[in-house]
Amino acid sequence: MPTILITGCSSGFGLETAKLFLDRGWDVIATMRKPDPDLLPPSERLRVLPLDVTDPKSIAEAVAAAGHIDVLVNNAGFGAPSPIELTAPETVRSLFETNTIGTLAMVQAVVPQMRQRRAGVVINVTSTVTVKTLPVIGVYRASKAAVNALTESLAVEMEPFGVRVHIVLPGRSPTTRFGENARPHFRGFDDADYAPMLQQFIKSVQDDTGPVTHAADVAEAVWRAATDPSAPLRIPGGADAELWMAEAGL
């Protein structure tokens, strides 16, 4: 069976995607900064490897240990809601190092073997916030929009070599740990001007009424990208993602 390597499998979209591909008979390499094999059902087709996408040595070791990779899913990332004016420099660097440079580094580490084989699929998970102007997450949006741009060019570059490239764009997912992981980076609650904006943002993120994205939606979108040669470059990963992309004309 084909082999898929997925980054950021400790929770949310990455964990659900790893489970889905295991259920459907694939060989799965689930990577995490702190490997926990107990998060996934035991299987002879599963390998759990340590990987920090911001560490070149960690990337080299993980890719070497993985060996043959048919599908690469760049899912690792985090958010940091904060008004642009107040976003700490270290947070800006972390966002781009993880979300953008980490994705690029994984592509550069894995694509050579795909190009040589003239086969493979690269799937970069970004976000539908890149297609809609929103406050409070401007730097996060920028880090993910940069991945969109990289992926679009990569798709053109890889096409002559038989390597498919796709972007999966999830929507808002109240059931994942996005908000929990982002909380340490919040800025502006003590600012009279920005506090109402931040409070409204948190309310909207936690609201589970109306169309939302579930981790299973993203896993199915990744499955489509991995298995359907006719899949488009951009694939929405949730009911709200479909609406936002339609509104953006995508």
Side-chain angles (χ1 to χ4, degrees), residues 193-211:
D193 288 335
Y194 285 121
M197 190 183 300
L198 284 161
Q199 290 163 359
Q200 179 58 40
F201 174 81
I202 292 174
K203 182 180 178 181
S204 68
V205 168
Q206 294 174 340
D207 182 11
D208 60 0
T209 61

Side-chain angles (χ1 to χ4, degrees), residues 13 17 72-75 121-128 130 140 144 147-148 151 165-171 213-226 231-238 241 245:
F13 303 150
T17 300
L72 168 65
V73 180
N74 284 306
N75 166 76
V121 184
V122 176
I123 304 166
N124 292 333
V125 180
T126 65
S127 173
T128 47
T130 60
Y140 170 74
K144 289 294 192 177
V147 175
N148 287 353
T151 309
V165 179
H166 300 277
I167 308 169
V168 167
L169 299 95
T213 290
H214 301 283
D217 300 329
V218 178
E220 288 289 354
V222 173
W223 175 263
R224 181 185 177 192
L233 171 66
R234 302 172 191 83
I235 304 173
M245 288 179 64

Side-chain angles (χ1 to χ4, degrees), residues 96-113:
F96 277 88
E97 285 171 358
T98 301
N99 296 350
T100 312
I101 299 172
T103 295
L104 174 59
M106 286 300 299
V107 167
Q108 291 178 330
V110 175
V111 156
Q113 61 167 274

Side-chain angles (χ1 to χ4, degrees), residues 171-203:
R172 182 174 58 87
S173 187
T175 59
T176 67
R177 284 168 44 188
F178 180 91
E180 176 187 336
N181 293 339
R183 192 168 297 277
H185 304 280
F186 272 47
R187 294 290 186 278
F189 282 112
D190 56 353
D191 186 293
D193 288 335
Y194 285 121
M197 190 183 300
L198 284 161
Q199 290 163 359
Q200 179 58 40
F201 174 81
I202 292 174
K203 182 180 178 181

